[in-house]
Amino acid sequence: MANLDKVLYTARAHSTGGREGVSRSDDGKLDITLTAPGGKGVNPEQLFASGYSACFLGAMKAVAGRQKITLPADTSIDAEVDLGPVGDVFGIAVRMTIHLPGMDKAAAEKLVHDADLVCPYSNATRGNINKTLTVG
């Protein structure tokens, strides 16, 4: 993997207790109780689904801007992150349904494909997890 050409931003968080703990960002904007799925707090898979889908939306906006395409105002993503065993270890799988209301299906699929090529989360996970992107 190549090194970053330039660091644009560094996120910092401090976590304790694992899935039954807490996580806080250094600026205090994030302060959450963590839990296993089904518990009373937020689980890491929910955080990953939120982060990946938000990042992917940002990538779509960047690509659309370069291609002189206007995204529908109500563009959204429904993200699902599965957690399960892979032999003796655990892994995740991602499914995202991308909603681009009123956009031509072929143009929407090309935009999603192009955004997948530039999204940092997609690049970080490419070849490491099963991922399904669907224009819905």
Side-chain angles (χ1 to χ4, degrees), residues 30 77 81 107 122:
L30 178 73
I77 296 178
V81 173
S122 292

Side-chain angles (χ1 to χ4, degrees), residues 1-2 11 13 19 28 33 35 40 52 54 59 65 71 79-80 85-87 92 94 101 116 136:
M1 183 52 70
R19 289 184 176 271
T33 299
T35 187
K40 293 185 179 186
Y52 197 163
L71 290 179
E80 298 173 279
V86 180
I92 60 171
V94 172
D116 187 44

Side-chain angles (χ1 to χ4, degrees), residues 2-3 7-8 18 25 29 44 48-50 52 65 78 85 90 97 108 112 114:
N3 290 326
V7 175
L8 300 176
S25 60
K29 292 180 181 179
F48 192 82
S50 295
Y52 197 163
D78 293 319
F90 286 90
T97 303
V112 167
D114 293 348

Side-chain angles (χ1 to χ4, degrees), residues 57-65 69-75 100-101 103 111:
L57 276 167
M60 286 178 19
K61 288 179 181 180
V63 169
I69 297 170
T70 301
L71 290 179
D74 49 355
T75 296
L100 295 152
M103 191 171 190
L111 176 68

Side-chain angles (χ1 to χ4, degrees), residues 98-111:
I98 297 97
H99 304 281
L100 295 152
M103 191 171 190
D104 173 75
K105 179 97 172 179
E109 287 175 347
K110 180 175 181 349
L111 176 68

